[in-house]
Amino acid sequence: MPTTSDFEHMLRGAALRVTRPRLAVLSAVHDHPHSDTGSIIGLVRDDVGEVSHQAVYDVLRALTAAGLVRCIEPPGSVARYEARVGDNHHHVVCRSCGAIADVDCAVGEMPCLTPSEDHGFAIDEAEVIYRGRCPECVAARG
């Protein structure tokens, strides 16, 4: 688990000023992968006290643009954030409770899926969302 010093180094390495809100957001995303903005706001407020919604949105935007966090938007869900960046992994989403877990690429290099037609695009990423029911929801259903 990264330390505050690690987060400071990450921010400086991305040419971002080190601020308490940025450290708190980065820590929240690392500690709670796949969290939505509302949850991150709550975690940041628990850590640093009062901070505006807009400040957290601005920090998330800056961290995403710098490549320190990744924003995912599973269909039918609000945007969620994770700290696992740079590896083109995918996600599995529970149809019942909405739980999300990481899934490594099945095979190949990035992108791990080659489309039948690229329409002239220089493709550098592929995103797959697997859907099903998590173990807890399967067990509860009997």
Side-chain angles (χ1 to χ4, degrees), residues 23-138:
L23 289 171
V25 170
L26 201 49
S27 177
V29 173
H30 272 264
D31 291 346
H32 303 276
H34 310 125
S35 290
D36 62 25
T37 307
S39 299
I40 293 169
I41 290 168
L43 293 164
V44 169
R45 286 181 174 168
D46 289 345
D47 186 20
V48 298
E50 189 57 36
V51 63
S52 71
H53 283 73
Q54 190 60 50
V56 174
Y57 279 103
D58 291 346
V59 169
L60 285 168
R61 191 174 309 109
L63 295 177
T64 301
L68 297 178
V69 301
R70 178 180 175 195
C71 177
I72 62 168
E73 298 181 55
S77 177
V78 297
R80 300 186 176 262
Y81 295 87
E82 64 182 353
R84 186 175 168 184
V85 296
D87 70 347
N88 199 46
H89 68 280
H90 307 298
H91 298 92
V92 60
V93 179
C94 180
R95 290 184 187 280
S96 297
C97 70
I100 300 173
D102 291 336
V103 177
D104 290 328
C105 264
V107 294
E109 300 293 320
M110 286 194 305
C112 63
L113 299 177
T114 303
S116 60
E117 174 60 49
D118 64 16
H119 300 280
F121 284 68
I123 297 172
D124 60 11
E125 182 179 12
E127 184 171 332
V128 174
I129 302 289
Y130 298 95
R131 295 194 171 275
R133 288 190 170 68
C134 69
E136 290 80 12
C137 290
V138 169

